[in-house]
Every structure is written in structure tokens, then in C-alpha cells.
């Protein structure tokens, strides 16, 4: 052993001599801009909010099957009780709302099941006139009774739909007049009333409440706790609703989900796939909303949504021809692993924009981050440009605030905080964080600047961010500990506000209300303002803007809110999200829109011509 | 050894037997190398110079780091930020520094050199943050070996005591301990470990060592019990009892030393198994915390990089393979050397 160690020592010393004499310079990546990886970069603008990535040289064809892959399976397929986005996206092809986005103006006023609608002068009561030609997939007619039943189900306090119910908390009454008139009233004038009161999916009463248990009760009854406590039927209905077979139609022989939409439910084989088939008797089959953007039942015969958890496995399946479309890839797959000519010949890569943004949330109630100067400094210590370029492959779109970058609420006049460590250190010192005891760690009032960055176990990008921050902050005398938590634990800690720093993603919409996330009412009690942002002016802006029905005036208020948020930096706003996708080039009509999930299968079709002669 | 002394001790016989197994001897030398890396990791791969001459003073930053980490010393004011490479820019005449062979620390990232294949500057390439893979492997070796040794030490300790008690006393004690062993081995070990790790609040390598130690003792306990059953009626044990020695002394001074050899062999295999399990756990993301480089976590982060980043899987994979193999080879060599039937 002695000899062995002596030899190794000698080798070590030789190595040290060799490496210290030799040249240590390294070739660095030279390209200043990241390329597009051979794919199409979807750029939306205020005028152009639909982007078609496939060629338009051929007329659409009907037929064919599309197999796409998603990462997670929904826990159930009950529209109201399911909390997973996968369920909502799937069921959106089966169920329909009264109104939806207009794909030209992007206002929420396109009648779907409704033929027309009226808003009362105070903006509180909405009256919908339903179309008379709508039939459920089983042949029954869809009437106002179904609409009333649907809103009653959501508001039944025993139905497991608490997250959905919060949006409807101001509803006070709803009734029907004949078979086709439905009206609903909210207690307050609120700019999102139309989107909420016209936006819920309508479910068939004759399937979900065959015993008509809910007929006896009015909506007001359901909102009265004394009645709901005493009437056994309300609870009985809710229990039947929560566990209804339609909510979990698993297996090859399960009864199909009955909806009214352009696609019918086909099968759900757990752990494998969910599938949809085109509804050939769709009520709106002759109704083409925007030329080329068909909701006339869609073109594809069948859509199979496979569940493949592992990202690498999804890409392998795509290359093997087992699937046709991956809506969300990893950036590294998009830029490095699919950059070969044979892949690009066969598949089209697209990076499209979704209304979501990533951020680092600083717990404003912790001593480290209670001072806005420290938060500003933190933002300036993070080299977001380099992160975007090298880690995110340029997929992030720099953003300054919580609103959707292609929406009218976004304030384009604010300049992002630069990457400036020198100025950041000055701010930190101005805030009183100086190394008083000489141990190399900054401290203030006896507290070391030593915080924990919580990351979710599955997120590689947060992990990289945390590792970079740890290394960068070490150099300025701040200690970062990284804590990796299981997603469920992570969310629990978030709600209980048991964290110093988190890195997350908010998914929003074209137009959002900042009340939930930024108002001080929502601090504590498991509210979404878990970082504890308190600002009197921000609160009053948020409160007042809710009731301003004039869009321009309202947007001006939100622009001011973003100035406050920019100055306060309760979050470090990272990037608006771009999702990389890839699909087989045989598919046409691939259109990308600014609402979730960024694409709708209605417009997609499979070209037999392209199949025969690959490009 | 070859001149055949008339009376040779047991150890000498075993040593001779062992030295005949060339593969095992070679493996021992590889373990020496690993041990060397384990001890001198900070001198092999570090972004701090070993010696630095700056503005007339000579500093030893790597040694100072031990002082800071273990003895409550502070960094000199010049080095508060610990960015020694930046200091090179304002070198005056006569300033110099000697760096370790791999002048990168495992957590030092440089996005501009990310995912580079092996080169002179980075012999094993760089990962997705531009961290040096070899540096991470050298420091990861510490974790792997530490986990191997500490976990095995814990379970040998538990196993030997429980096995000794069961074997020496028999009867009720034996029944209880045997049932305990049976209960423990009904759980698949990996699942048991993952379940425990999943409910742990914090991730740390110490947890892993303790859990591996607490779940792995059954084999050792069974071996020790069997040896005790064999030995406890030998004349010297009966003599010890007759002399009125306390049970404690009889067990640990007289019986135990004569039963340890098979335990030694299982322990050697156990080190290999523990290293493999730790790698597996880190690969699944249950093991070491993110900032701690281990061979398993290196492999895990490389999974997404395939097929582009071959160096990210090849080198850590090889390191695990070689380490586990040499421990197994040494274990086999020991087993053969200790087996009297194979004595020539």
C-alpha cells in the first residue's frame, strides 16, 4: 500500500506540473445567436394571432388518424372534478361552452351553443338564447335545462369542484325560460363575467342526473348553507356525480362519454391511450367559423392521445413512427437531437407560444427579501440572457410582468432589469447586508444571508437555475441551499408559505385578472399570493380595475400595476414560454393560437398526397 | 514469503493464498487508487490553487479551504469571493499560482463551454452547465466510497451484534431475532429504501448511508449466528464459561474474533452493493442533493443528453462498473484465500 501511494503521489505531482505548464485555454461556443434548430418559430403579433406552420398548397381532406403523445394521464375525465390539464384538453373536444373566443378579434364573444346573448345594462345579468338544432351524441336534444343543470352541478357544494367554484363565487341566480333561454346573474359588475358565465362546459342532464334529483332546487337553494345541509338529495346527487361512470370510462367496453362536440369519445385504456373519433352528425358541421380554421367537426377520423411519461421515450416513439405529434418536447431534443436532415425531411418542428411565464418567487416575508432593493439586486444577479441562450436554447421570451406578452394588458414600455452584479452588490449593501463578522457570509441583525431555494424534483430547468444561482451568489457572500421536493410536498409548502425561494410557472390566458396572485387579500389562508406581496396602490388598482368595463381604461390601470411590480420585484420575471413541438409533415392545417394549449385539432388534416410523395 | 518458514501464522497463510490470485491483487491496487482519489480529491480537482504567490505573500488556498470548512477559519480578505482565476488578471510581476491537475471545482459552471466532448482542457468533457465531468467524478468518488464504507460499517455493526446474541444465547432471543431477519428480508430492499427516502424531509448523503446500513444487516446477522452456533460449543468457549467470564467478554473477546472472517467477505461484497444502490438511488433522483455530484446523479442527468453526450454516460458508468467489479474481485479473492479446502 505504501508503495502504491508513493507511485500515485509521484503521478499527481507530475500531473500538476504538466497541467500548470500547459495551455489551459478552452474553445468556447462562438455563435452569438441560437439558431432555430431547423424548425419554425411561431411569432404572433397584435394583428396576426393565428400562425399556420404547414404549407397551404393543398385543399383539406377528410380522414386519417393522428397519434399524439402527452406526458401525464388524467386521474379522471369528469370535467368539473378533474384538476388535470390533460383531462380539460381532452374533454374540450367533447363538451362545448355557450361562448368561446372569437378567433379574429380574440374577444370572448363568439356564440357556440348559444345563438345570441344579451348583457343587462349593469353588466350583471347574461341572457343566452340557445341554438335549436343541437343534439347530444346519443341523439337527445341539448336544451336550456342542460345548461341550468351544469351550473347547478358546479355550484353544488358537495361536488368536488372547489377550484372551479371559486370563479363562480359571485353568481346569485340562474333560471331558464322555455327550452332555449337561459339567464344567469352575478352580484357584481366584473370585466370577466362574460368569460366565466358563458365559458363553462355544458354536460347532459339526462346522463348525469337521470333521477332528476336536482330539479327541485333552484340555484339560490344551492347557495344557501342551511338548505344544502338539510336536503339529503343534494348530497346524494353530488356523491353520484363525483363517482359517475362517465367520469371514468376506462376499458374497451366502457360506455362512451356523451357530449355535444365535434369529436366523440372513443376509448380510454389506462396507462396506454385515450382516443376520440369524429362526430359525423355534429350539429355545427356546416358552420365554418374562419375559412381554413374549421370547427366543422374536424377533418381527422380519429385522434389517439398516447400517454408516454418519459421525454426520451416520446422522441424515440416519434422517430419509430409510433406517434405523429409531440406537442411538448424538451429544448435539447428540439435543438440537438432532432437536427439531422433525415428527421427534418420527415417531421416539421415548431416552437409556439403559450400564455405562461416562468418566474422566481422571493418570499417577501423572509428577512432576506423583505427589502425591495434586495429583490431588485437578486434580479440583477441572475444572468437571464445567458440562461435563456444556453439552458433554454433561446426559447424564452423576455417578460417584465405577469401578463401575456401578446395580450393588450402587457406593458411594453417597461425595460427589463439588466444583468449587473456590481450594482446588485451595491444595493444589497445599501440594504444593510454586509459581512459584519468576517466569516465570508453577509449578515444583518445577526442573521446570515443563507436561504433555501426549493425546486420541484422533476424540473431540470429549475435545478440548473438553482445550481447557477448557488454558485453565483457564493461569490458575493450569500449562501444558497438547494432543496429538492416531490411535487405534492412542494405545492403544500407553497400554500403554507413554508419556503424562501421558489421557481415556478404561471399559466394564464389572453386576459387575466391579477387579483388572485397579487392582491394582499390572498396572502395566507392558502391563497395564491404565497410570496406575500403587499402594496397599497397595487391593491387599489387591482380592486378598481375589476369593475372597469372599458378595456382601454382597464388596461391602463394594469400597465400602472406592472410598473409597480417591476419596481418592487416580488418575483424575478423570467420568460414567457415557448413550447417546442414536432409533427409528421403529412399533417396539414397545423395552426397555432394564443390560447391554451396553443393548437386545436379541428384544423389539422392528413394529406394523402404528401404521404405518397414525401417532400 | 517464498522461503517457507516452518510455522506460519493464519494471516500469513491467507496473505499467501490471496497473493496467488493475480486478478484480486490487481483489484486491490485499483482500490488503492480509489482511496488515493478519495483522500486527495481536493488536490486533484479544484478551482483554488494549491500554492499562490500574490503581491509578495504566499498562500495555500486548498489547505485554507479545509481550515474554513472544518476549523472555523475565515478566508483572507483578498479571497473573500473565492474567485482565484479572476485574480490572474491583475497579476503583478512575480505573482504565480500552482493549480491542481483539474483546475475546476465540481460546481463551477461555465455556460460557454457546455456539452463539450473530451478535450485537453476537459479530459472527460463538460456537462449541460459547462461543469467539468472529471472534476465531478473525482468528488463523486468520495461520495460513492464513503457511502460504501459507512453503510457497510453500520450494517456489519448491527448484524454482528444481533447475530452474536442470537447464536450465543439461542432460545427465545434466537427466535425473536430470526423472525426480525425474516421480516426484514421480505421487503424488497430497493423498494424499502425508496419508500423511506421519499418520506424524508431533506435529501442528504448521510440519510442514504444510514438507510442502507439499517436495511442491509440481515445477511451479516445470519452469517454471524451460524458461526456462533458452530463455535459456541468449542472447548475454548466452554473453558471461558467455566472460568466464570461474563457473557459480554466471552462473546466479544473469545467467540467473535473467530467468526469474523465470513463477515469480512460479505462486507467486501457489501461495499460494492452499497455503491451500486447509491448510484441507483441518485440515478432515480432520490439520492444525493442536486449540488452534490455523485456517479449516479451524473449518469441520471446524462440520460436526457443521449445520444449526443456520450461522454456523460460513458465515464461515470465505467467508474461505477470498475469500482463495483474490483470490490467483488477482492471479495472473491478473500473468500478463496480464507477457504481452508482450497489451501494448497
Amino acid at each position: 500500500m505504501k508503495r502504491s501511494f508513493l507511485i500515485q503521489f509521484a503521478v499527481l505531482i507530475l500531473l500538476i506540473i504538466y497541467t500548470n505548464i500547459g495551455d489551459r485555454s478552452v474553445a468556447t461556443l462562438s455563435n452569438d445567436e441560437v439558431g432555430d434548430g431547423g424548425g419554425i418559430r411561431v411569432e404572433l403579433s397584435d394583428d396576426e394571432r393565428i400562425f399556420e406552420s404547414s404549407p397551404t398548397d393543398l385543399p383539406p381532406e377528410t380522414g386519417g388518424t393522428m397519434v399524439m403523445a402527452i406526458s401525464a394521464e388524467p386521474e379522471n375525465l369528469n370535467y368539473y372534478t378533474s384538476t388535470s390539464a390533460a383531462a380539460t384538453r381532452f374533454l374540450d373536444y367533447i363538451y362545448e361552452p355557450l361562448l368561446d373566443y372569437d378567433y379574429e378579434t380574440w374577444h370572448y364573444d363568439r356564440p357556440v351553443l348559444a345563438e345570441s346573448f344579451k348583457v343587462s345594462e349593469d353588466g350583471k345579468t347574461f341572457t343566452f338564447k340557445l341554438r335549436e338544432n343541437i343534439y347530444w351524441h346519443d341523439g337527445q336534444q341539448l336544451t336550456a335545462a342542460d345548461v341550468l343543470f351544469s351550473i347547478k352541478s358546479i355550484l353544488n357544494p358537495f361536488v368536488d369542484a372547489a377550484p372551479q367554484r371559486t370563479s363562480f363565487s359571485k353568481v346569485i341566480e340562474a333560471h331558464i325560460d322555455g327550452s332555449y333561454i337561459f339567464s344567469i346573474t352575478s352580484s357584481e359588475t366584473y370585466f370577466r363575467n362574460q368569460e366565466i358565465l358563458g365559458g363553462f362546459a355544458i354536460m347532459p342532464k339526462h346522463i348525469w342526473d337521470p333521477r332528476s334529483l336536482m330539479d327541485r332546487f333552484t340555484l339560490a337553494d344551492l347557495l344557501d348553507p342551511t338548505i344544502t345541509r338539510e336536503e339529503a338529495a343534494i348530497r346524494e346527487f353530488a356523491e353520484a356525480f363525483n363517482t359517475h361512470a362517465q367520469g371514468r370510462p376506462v376499458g374497451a367496453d366502457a360506455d362512451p362519454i356523451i357530449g355535444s362536440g365535434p369529436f366523440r369519445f372513443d376509448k380510454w385504456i389506462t396507462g396506454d391511450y385515450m382516443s376520440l373519433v369524429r362526430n359525423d352528425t355534429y350539429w355545427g358541421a356546416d358552420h365554418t367559423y374562419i375559412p381554413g380554421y374549421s370547427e366543422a367537426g374536424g377533418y381527422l377520423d380519429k385522434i389517439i392521445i398516447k400517454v408516454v411519461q418519459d421525454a426520451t421515450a416520446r422522441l424515440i416513439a416519434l422517430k419509430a413512427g409510433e406517434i405523429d405529434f409531440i406537442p411538448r418536447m424538451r429544448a435539447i431534443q428540439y435543438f440537438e437531437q432532432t437536427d439531422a436532415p433525415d428527421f427534418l425531411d420527415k417531421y416539421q418542428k415548431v416552437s409556439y407560444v403559450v400564455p405562461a411565464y416562468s418566474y422566481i418567487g422571493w418570499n417577501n416575508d423572509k428577512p432576506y427579501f423583505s427589502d425591495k432593493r434586495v429583490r431588485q439586486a437578486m434580479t440583477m444577479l441572475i444572468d437571464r440572457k445567458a440562461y435563456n441562450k444556453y439552458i433554454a436554447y433561446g426559447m424564452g421570451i423576455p417578460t417584465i410582468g405577469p401578463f401575456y406578452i401578446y395580450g393588450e394588458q402587457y406593458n411594453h414600455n417597461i425595460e427589463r432589469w439588466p444583468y449587473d452584479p456590481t450594482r446588485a452588490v451595491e444595493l444589497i449593501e445599501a440594504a444593510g447586508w454586509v459581512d459584519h463578522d468576517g466569516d465570508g457570509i453577509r449578515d444583518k441583525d445577526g442573521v446570515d444571508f443563507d436561504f433555501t431555494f426549493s425546486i420541484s424534483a422533476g424540473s431540470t430547468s429549475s435545478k440548473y437555475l438553482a445550481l447557477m444561482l448557488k454558485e453565483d451568489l457564493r461569490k458575493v457572500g450569500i449562501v444558497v441551499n438547494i432543496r429538492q421536493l416531490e411535487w405534492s410536498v412542494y405545492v403544500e409548502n407553497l400554500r403554507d408559505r413554508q419556503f424562501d425561494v421558489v421557481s415556478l410557472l404561471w399559466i394564464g390566458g389572453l386576459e387575466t385578472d391579477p387579483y388572485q396572485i397579487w392582491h394582499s387579500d390572498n396572502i395566507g389562508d392558502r391563497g395564491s399570493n404565497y410570496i406575500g406581496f403587499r402594496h397599497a396602490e397595487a391593491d387599489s388598482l387591482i380592486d378598481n380595475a375589476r369593475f372597469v368595463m372599458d378595456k382601454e381604461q382597464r388596461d391602463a390601470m394594469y400597465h400602472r400595476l406592472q410598473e409597480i411590480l417591476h419596481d418592487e420585484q416580488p418575483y424575478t420575471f423570467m420568460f414567457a414560454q415557448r413550447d417546442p413541438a414536432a409533427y409528421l409533415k403529412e399533417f396539414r392545417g397545423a395552426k397555432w393560437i394564443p390560447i391554451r394549449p396553443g393548437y386545436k385539432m379541428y384544423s389539422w388534416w392528413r394529406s394523402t398526397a404528401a404521404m405518397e410523395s414525401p417532400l | 514469503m517464498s522461503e517457507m518458514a516452518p510455522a506460519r501464522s493464519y494471516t500469513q497463510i491467507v496473505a499467501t493464498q490471496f497473493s496467488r490470485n493475480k486478478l484480486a491483487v490487481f483489484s486491490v491496487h485499483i482500490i488503492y487508487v480509489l482511496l488515493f482519489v478519495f483522500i486527495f480529491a481536493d488536490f486533484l480537482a479544484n478551482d483554488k490553487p494549491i500554492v499562490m504567490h500574490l503581491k509578495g505573500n504566499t498562500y495555500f488556498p486548498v489547505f485554507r479551504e479545509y481550515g474554513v470548512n472544518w476549523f472555523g477559519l475565515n478566508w483572507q480578505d483578498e479571497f473573500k469571493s473565492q474567485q482565484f482565476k479572476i485574480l490572474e488578471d491583475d497579476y503583478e510581476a512575480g505573482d504565480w499560482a500552482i493549480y491542481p491537475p483539474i483546475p475546476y471545482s465540481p460546481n463551477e459552471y461555465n455556460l460557454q463551454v457546455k456539452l463539450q466532448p473530451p478535450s485537453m482542457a476537459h479530459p472527460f468533457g463538460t456537462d449541460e452547465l459547462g461543469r467539468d465531468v472529471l472534476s465531478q467524478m473525482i468528488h463523486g468518488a468520495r461520495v460513492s466510497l464513503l457511502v460504501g464504507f459507512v453503510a457497510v460499517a453500520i450494517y456489519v455493526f448491527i448484524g454482528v451484534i444481533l447475530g452474536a446474541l442470537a447464536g450465543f444465547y439461542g432460545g427465545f432471543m434466537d427466535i425473536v431475532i430470526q423472525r426480525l431477519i425474516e421480516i426484514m428480508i421480505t421487503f424488497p430492499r430497493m423498494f424499502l429504501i425508496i419508500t423511506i427516502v421519499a418520506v424524508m424531509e431533506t435529501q442528504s448523503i448521510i440519510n442514504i448511508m444510514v438507510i442502507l446500513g439499517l436495511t442491509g444487516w440481515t445477511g451479516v446477522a445470519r452469517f454471524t449466528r451460524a458461526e456462533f452456533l458452530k463455535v459456541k460449543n468449542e472447548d475454548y468457549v466452554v473453558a471461558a464459561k467455566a472460568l466464570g467470564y461474563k457473557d459480554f467478554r466471552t462473546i466479544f473477546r473469545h467467540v467473535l474474533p473467530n467468526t469474523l472472517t465470513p463477515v469480512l467477505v460479505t462486507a467486501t461484497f457489501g461495499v460494492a452493493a452499497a455503491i451500486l444502490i447509491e448510484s441507483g438511488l441518485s440515478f432515480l433522483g432520490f439520492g444525493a442533493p442536486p449540488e452534490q455530484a455523485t456517479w449516479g446523479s451524473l449518469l441520471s442527468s446524462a440520460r436526457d443528453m443521449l445520444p449526443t453526450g456520450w461522454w456523460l454516460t460513458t465515464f461515470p458508468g465505467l467508474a461505477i462498473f470498475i469500482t463495483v467489479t474490483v470490490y467483488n474481485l477482492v471479495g472473491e479473492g478473500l473468500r478463496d484465500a480464507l477457504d481452508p479446502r482450497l489451501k494448497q
Side-chain angles (χ1 to χ4, degrees):
Chain A
M1 187 166 183
K2 218 191 284 172
R3 204 184 48 182
S4 200
F5 259 53
L6 280 175
I7 296 172
Q8 289 178 42
F9 243 129
V11 172
L12 173 62
I13 288 167
L14 283 175
L15 269 176
I16 291 177
I17 295 171
Y18 174 75
T19 45
N20 280 282
I21 296 172
D23 183 16
R24 274 197 285 120
S25 64
V26 190
T28 52
L29 296 178
S30 56
N31 57 326
D32 282 330
E33 286 303 315
V34 204
D36 53 11
I40 295 175
R41 228 176 144 83
V42 172
E43 301 286 358
L44 303 179
S45 66
D46 285 351
D47 322 312
E48 217 45 67
R49 290 212 182 114
I50 298 180
F51 187 103
E52 180 158 7
S53 62
S54 50
T56 48
D57 52 340
L58 298 168
E61 292 169 50
T62 308
T65 300
M66 145 84 78
V67 186
M68 59 189 273
I70 57 170
S71 60
E73 190 164 41
E75 77 276 31
N76 66 52
L77 286 177
N78 181 326
Y79 202 106
Y80 300 149
T81 67
S82 174
T83 51
S84 75
T88 315
R89 274 168 211 170
F90 182 77
L91 292 170
D92 275 341
Y93 294 107
I94 300 174
Y95 296 120
E96 293 171 298
L98 295 167
L99 304 177
D100 203 342
Y101 275 107
D102 181 312
Y103 289 142
E104 255 165 9
T105 60
W106 294 99
H107 294 154
Y108 205 87
D109 59 3
R110 173 168 60 97
V112 181
L113 293 180
E115 192 175 67
S116 61
F117 69 101
K118 266 205 319 269
V119 192
S120 68
E121 248 173 50
D122 59 4
K124 290 179 181 171
T125 301
F126 287 73
T127 308
F128 298 93
K129 159 84 177 67
L130 265 64
R131 292 176 203 271
E132 293 177 20
N133 62 337
I134 303 171
Y135 293 90
W136 294 105
H137 293 161
D138 61 358
Q140 298 244 24
Q141 196 177 6
L142 188 152
T143 64
D146 292 308
V147 182
L148 184 63
F149 160 78
S150 298
I151 188 69
K152 277 192 204 167
S153 305
I154 295 173
L155 289 171
N156 183 320
F158 304 111
V159 168
D160 293 335
Q164 266 92 326
R165 254 196 311 276
T166 52
S167 321
F168 295 92
S169 60
K170 297 287 186 279
V171 171
I172 44 172
E173 123 181 59
H175 53 84
I176 54 177
D177 182 5
S179 295
Y180 305 111
I181 304 289
F182 168 78
S183 68
I184 185 164
T185 307
S186 165
S187 63
E188 63 181 30
T189 314
Y190 176 32
F191 77 93
R192 290 188 67 225
N193 270 350
Q194 190 158 313
E195 203 179 326
I196 292 168
L197 303 179
F200 59 95
I202 309 303
M203 288 166 67
K205 174 172 174 291
H206 66 281
I207 301 281
W208 291 82
D209 189 14
R211 291 189 286 152
S212 297
L213 287 170
M214 296 296 278
D215 281 7
R216 284 202 291 129
F217 306 101
T218 64
L219 198 79
D221 290 344
L222 291 168
L223 298 171
D224 185 343
T226 51
I227 295 178
T228 52
R229 225 178 351 218
E230 274 161 25
E231 291 285 350
I234 294 177
R235 190 183 287 267
E236 195 185 330
F237 164 77
E239 271 155 21
F241 186 91
N242 290 337
T243 55
H244 198 287
Q246 287 264 301
R248 213 180 147 73
V250 170
D253 315 318
D255 284 338
I257 297 173
I258 302 297
S260 60
F263 282 90
R264 287 169 188 263
F265 174 83
D266 183 39
K267 275 192 194 73
W268 180 14
I269 310 294
T270 42
D272 192 4
Y273 70 89
M274 307 185 289
S275 57
L276 296 159
V277 288
R278 194 180 55 238
N279 177 8
D280 286 322
T281 56
Y282 184 51
W283 61 268
D286 57 344
H287 155 94
T288 309
Y289 182 63
I290 291 179
Y293 199 91
S294 171
E295 285 195 354
Y299 299 106
L300 295 164
D301 279 346
K302 192 169 185 178
I303 301 170
I304 298 173
I305 302 171
K306 272 192 168 252
V307 181
V308 185
Q309 284 186 358
D310 187 71
T312 311
R314 282 199 292 278
L315 183 59
I316 291 170
L318 180 77
K319 286 180 177 172
E322 286 163 29
I323 55 178
D324 307 321
F325 173 37
I326 306 181
R328 276 185 82 176
M329 301 169 86
R330 291 188 179 216
I332 185 163
Q333 296 181 326
Y334 189 88
F335 285 97
E336 308 245 346
Q337 294 164 4
T338 54
D339 213 1
D342 56 333
F343 185 91
L344 295 174
D345 278 349
K346 207 169 160 201
Y347 301 95
Q348 179 63 56
K349 294 199 284 183
V350 176
S351 64
Y352 60 101
V353 189
V354 284
Y357 67 94
S358 54
Y359 64 89
I360 302 174
W362 315 99
N363 190 336
N364 289 208
D365 286 341
K366 295 281 172 176
Y368 329 108
F369 308 118
S370 54
D371 191 319
K372 79 172 180 191
R373 286 173 294 186
V374 177
R375 300 193 297 262
Q376 291 169 351
M378 287 294 147
T379 301
M380 285 193 284
L381 278 167
I382 300 165
D383 190 351
R384 290 177 287 177
K385 219 177 202 165
Y387 173 85
N388 190 22
K389 180 172 159 192
Y390 295 108
I391 305 294
Y393 292 87
M395 290 297 255
I397 306 166
T399 181
I400 54 92
F403 296 103
Y404 184 38
I405 192 142
Y406 291 124
E408 278 134 15
Q409 290 172 308
Y410 187 87
N411 186 341
H412 289 275
N413 297 324
I414 297 174
E415 203 168 311
R416 228 161 120 87
W417 289 98
Y419 170 61
D420 190 345
T422 328
R423 215 172 114 205
V425 169
E426 284 166 19
L427 281 175
I428 290 173
E429 289 186 346
W433 293 97
V434 185
D435 183 11
H436 294 99
D437 52 8
D439 63 352
I441 302 165
R442 288 174 191 280
D443 54 278
K444 182 183 175 183
D445 306 330
V447 182
D448 274 346
F449 208 140
D450 179 337
F451 65 86
T452 303
F453 195 136
S454 302
I455 57 173
S456 141
S459 165
T460 354
S461 53
S462 311
K463 188 173 88 182
Y464 293 155
L465 187 63
L467 287 168
M468 288 163 64
L469 197 65
K470 182 185 171 75
E471 193 64 11
D472 289 343
L473 294 193
R474 184 178 65 83
K475 293 173 188 161
V476 296
I478 297 170
V479 180
V480 183
N481 307 291
I482 303 172
R483 195 159 169 216
Q484 210 167 15
L485 295 165
E486 200 53 47
W487 177 245
S488 52
V489 185
Y490 194 77
V491 174
E492 273 310 295
N493 284 356
L494 204 62
R495 290 186 179 147
D496 296 337
R497 311 188 62 217
Q498 297 295 316
F499 65 90
D500 296 335
V501 182
V502 288
S503 160
L504 274 166
L505 190 76
W506 273 124
I507 298 171
L510 260 183
E511 186 168 27
T512 52
D513 181 0
Y515 175 79
Q516 182 201 357
I517 299 171
W518 300 107
H519 199 283
S520 62
D521 282 358
N522 292 317
I523 302 174
D525 201 23
R526 321 206 99 204
S528 292
N529 187 353
Y530 44 73
I531 51 129
F533 175 68
R534 284 179 192 83
H535 194 281
E537 193 192 342
D539 277 0
S540 80
L541 278 171
I542 294 169
D543 280 334
N544 294 333
R546 283 164 73 87
F547 311 112
V548 174
M549 303 306 278
D550 181 72
K551 191 162 163 47
E552 257 177 48
Q553 203 186 336
R554 194 168 63 229
D555 287 343
M557 294 168 92
Y558 288 141
H559 288 182
R560 170 68 194 134
L561 177 68
Q562 285 166 83
E563 285 170 21
I564 297 170
L565 290 175
H566 175 72
D567 181 55
E568 289 282 331
Q569 286 293 297
Y571 287 176
T572 290
F573 295 96
M574 296 290 286
F575 302 102
Q577 289 302 111
R578 210 175 243 291
D579 275 344
Y583 60 88
L584 202 60
K585 276 195 174 158
E586 286 158 35
F587 287 93
R588 298 293 172 89
K591 294 181 186 180
W592 308 93
I593 50 176
I595 53 171
R596 273 180 288 159
Y599 54 88
K600 297 243 165 158
M601 300 317 300
Y602 307 118
S603 63
W604 293 55
W605 53 278
R606 190 164 196 157
S607 162
T608 44
M611 227 184 303
E612 281 152 16
S613 57
L615 299 165
Chain B
M1 286 282 166
S2 54
E3 71 265 36
M4 289 304 281
R8 296 189 304 162
S9 76
Y10 179 64
T11 327
Q12 280 172 320
I13 297 170
V14 171
T16 322
Q17 287 290 338
F18 188 81
S19 66
R20 293 214 178 111
N21 187 340
K22 291 282 173 286
L23 209 53
V25 172
F26 179 70
S27 300
V28 169
H29 281 281
I30 294 186
I31 292 180
Y32 286 158
V33 174
L34 289 171
L35 220 58
F36 186 83
V37 170
F38 176 83
I39 297 169
F40 294 105
D42 292 320
F43 295 88
L44 285 165
N46 207 323
D47 60 345
K48 302 174 183 66
I50 299 172
V51 193
M52 186 175 212
H53 191 79
L54 189 71
K55 303 193 172 80
N57 294 319
T58 309
Y59 302 96
F60 298 91
V62 176
F63 292 95
R64 187 79 182 188
E65 193 179 17
Y66 285 107
V68 171
N69 290 342
W70 299 100
F71 304 112
L73 291 180
N74 290 330
W75 284 104
Q76 294 95 335
D77 287 337
E78 302 90 308
F79 305 139
K80 273 275 166 354
S81 72
Q82 302 168 45
Q83 284 173 287
F84 293 92
K85 285 176 196 160
I86 286 182
L87 290 174
E88 284 180 21
D89 295 340
D90 12 284
Y91 272 5
E92 291 163 13
D95 286 351
W96 48 266
I98 293 176
Y99 279 93
I102 315 295
Y104 307 100
S105 74
N107 287 324
E108 181 188 4
Y109 77 92
N110 179 0
L111 294 174
Q112 291 187 325
V113 297
K114 71 170 210 165
L115 287 176
Q116 287 206 341
S119 64
M120 281 302 284
H122 298 281
F124 285 3
T126 57
D127 71 0
E128 58 278 30
L129 285 178
R131 292 174 296 181
D132 185 79
V133 173
L134 182 53
S135 173
Q136 292 187 68
M137 279 179 61
I138 286 172
H139 288 265
R142 277 196 161 168
V143 178
S144 295
L145 296 182
L146 203 65
V147 166
F149 282 114
V150 175
V152 170
I154 294 173
Y155 79 60
V156 164
F157 183 76
I158 301 173
V160 161
I161 290 181
L162 287 179
L165 293 177
F168 189 79
Y169 290 110
F172 181 67
M173 177 94 77
D174 188 27
I175 291 171
V176 171
I177 292 175
Q178 284 227 69
R179 295 300 87 78
L180 198 64
I181 293 173
E182 279 158 19
I183 291 170
M184 283 300 291
I185 55 176
T186 42
F187 293 109
R189 194 169 172 207
M190 196 69 180
F191 276 102
L192 185 62
I193 293 168
I194 291 178
T195 317
I196 300 173
V197 172
V199 296
M200 285 283 199
E201 265 285 289
T202 51
Q203 266 187 319
S204 95
I205 213 68
I206 296 168
N207 289 347
I208 303 286
M209 294 193 274
V210 173
I211 294 165
L212 284 177
L214 291 181
T215 53
W217 53 270
T218 49
V220 175
R222 286 181 145 189
F223 268 116
T224 315
R225 176 181 168 272
E227 286 293 312
F228 262 72
L229 288 179
K230 202 166 74 188
V231 171
K232 80 171 176 188
N233 292 322
E234 297 263 335
D235 290 344
Y236 67 91
V237 183
V238 178
K241 280 183 181 168
L243 279 167
Y245 286 160
K246 291 217 168 62
D247 284 353
F248 185 83
R249 179 167 173 177
T250 319
I251 293 173
F252 291 102
R253 289 287 304 278
H254 298 276
V255 186
L256 193 61
N258 292 297
T259 59
L260 269 184
T261 36
V263 172
L264 208 67
V265 177
T266 27
T268 323
F269 288 116
V271 172
I275 291 174
L276 205 58
I277 290 181
E278 185 279 320
S279 304
L281 284 176
S282 295
F283 181 75
L284 295 173
F286 291 110
E291 66 267 35
Q292 179 108 55
T294 78
W295 294 344
S297 60
L298 270 173
L299 262 187
S300 161
S301 59
R303 197 171 42 158
D304 298 337
M305 303 297 150
L306 283 176
T308 25
W310 60 268
W311 59 92
L312 289 169
T313 41
T314 311
F315 297 120
L318 267 179
I320 296 171
F321 169 73
I322 290 172
T323 311
V324 171
T325 309
V326 296
Y327 274 102
N328 280 324
L329 286 173
V330 170
E332 268 175 37
L334 262 184
R335 189 188 59 203
D336 294 347
L338 291 168
D339 191 338
R341 278 166 301 179
L342 293 175
K343 200 186 286 177
Q344 288 156 10

